Amino acid sequence: PASEIDVAAVEAGLTRNGQRAERLDFDWIAAQSFDPVVEEGWLASLDRACSGVRQRLEQITPFDAPLRLCVRVFETPDELARVCRARGAAQLRPLDPEAELSLVHVAAWSDNSPFELARATALVSAGEPAAGWLLDGVAAAACDSWFGRPLENWLAYLWTGELVPSVEQLTRDDAQLSPHLAQPLRGALLLCCEELKGADFAARQWAAKPETTLLPGDEEFRAWLARTLEGKLEAARNARVERRRASLALPARRGACLLPSRPKSDPICAGFGSRACEKSLAELRKLGASAVALSWCSALEESEPRFFGAGPEIWTQADDAALFATIMRARNLGLDVTLLPQLVASESGGWAGQVLLSTARKQRELFRSWSNFLTHIGLLAELAGVDVLSLGTESPDSTVTRASNENRRRANDLENLRNDWRFLIQAGRSAFAGGLTYAARWDGEAQGIEFWKDLDFMGQNVFVAFGEAKGEQSPAAAEMTQRIVGSFAHLAELSKQQGVRALVCGIGISSSAEGWAQPSRPQGGVDLDLQVRFYDALLRALQIGRKQSIAPAGLFTWCWWSDPQSGGLQERGFTPQNKPAEAALGRALHVR
């Protein structure tokens, strides 16, 4: 339990044999592996961020305010969480004798450390501003980048995605805007105010009542932004086109669905963003994978507090910092990354696309929350260089709009759903420039979906039933091959009709004695040989599919856990980890 964890001991272990040094505006502490020479560019970006804040707020900084911060550098979100008892890529702690900002940073990876340090510097020197947006504005304006991208380039990306909200939305504390949208645009708004109303705007307005602040109107701000970004917009539009083209042109993806393992001892740590996850990814790559699909559950409604000091928040199995770190680690290993979020109503609720579809009002709330989620996760995916983003997974209650004997909804209700999906797809396209897909169920959902032409890939989970009657014999590899090839052919025909490439978002079988009859869940005792036969059959099916031109553009097996110790000879679940089937999976992954 978290209450029994010795945080001091964990902290001492992580920083043993560490090093520390001073910069002009802050001190830093890091592990022995941190190389100040290699990291000089990163440290210089932190210097510039601090300087930008001091320049704006020096005249209102109390004489007794802390003049320095201590920056503690961690290499994984998991390590930061173990010490700070909070998830994220940055955590400010008011320690004695100096405040400490913990940051997750890995050499050669893009991150948002300059912004986080600028924000912390503003807080410890000038305190909270009366208008909350000013804190983000000062921090973003003090930086010249956003997650390693030149700030003007990222603002141009947001503009070309038509993601610039009104000034009123930008300055509201309760606006449900992604931080990757709100924070850099608040920086742009402050720069606009400084140009129009004086360089000391932030200092003058820091303690002023928000209602007394004269801000530019929407037209004035957008005109300033368009003028500032002139020369960047055409390049941003071209970059969007190239990102999508590269995703469509990528040769066959072969990999597995990576799931965050359930923490065994610490409810805050483990899963994505951990050392164990890094090792698990490396093992998947060594096995022969060219890609990986990250699959995790996130809620669309607020849940109860999850850890120390937290109020109600959106529950997720993978917070942004852990997700970002896992994407970057996978890409560093040479794996292309697909994101397969699974949306639930709340931490204890069912699938969002079913539970939140009960009334017209709930349907509006569902798609509004879904759109906010996609905008945020799409922007994060874009910053991290993700290849393909799925809009969702297995939500037939909300996706099936084709009228049929099985789908007898009123025509008006079906048209409303079609409009909701047009809105949702546009949200995904605005935020994310790579390939878009949706992961349909294996039992007919894909045929009832009418929006495939608006996506880049027809995604489907494929859990093939290899027997219908009780008492049948466990199937041989040849029979499995035949049925998998049949599934590939069916999906290829559907995708050809819609004009998009096929993507198998999940395919697998449990290592259980009767899992072949009902492949969506384990049944019966352990049967390791069944899983071996399945992956041998998958290998042969991919070879046949390649010859017959029905092999999917991508295929991810279900599943691979972030804990490399998962699976084992006594486990009857879906993962082939530490089972005889692992070698068979490796052979199948080499079929491109």
Side-chain angles (χ1 to χ4, degrees), residues 196-209:
L196 299 175
K197 303 177 184 299
D200 62 344
F201 178 86
R204 286 188 286 108
Q205 297 299 323
W206 200 259
K209 294 181 179 180

Side-chain angles (χ1 to χ4, degrees), residues 328-340:
M328 296 301 291
R329 178 63 63 184
R331 292 189 63 215
N332 191 57
L333 290 168
L335 294 165
D336 295 302
V337 179
T338 291
L339 297 188
L340 294 174

Side-chain angles (χ1 to χ4, degrees), residues 51-73:
S51 177
V53 173
R54 305 272 189 221
Q55 185 179 7
R56 287 175 169 83
L57 301 181
E58 188 172 20
Q59 68 186 72
I60 62 169
T61 300
F63 73 92
D64 58 346
L67 297 179
R68 299 180 68 79
L69 268 169
C70 180
V71 175
R72 183 188 292 270
V73 183

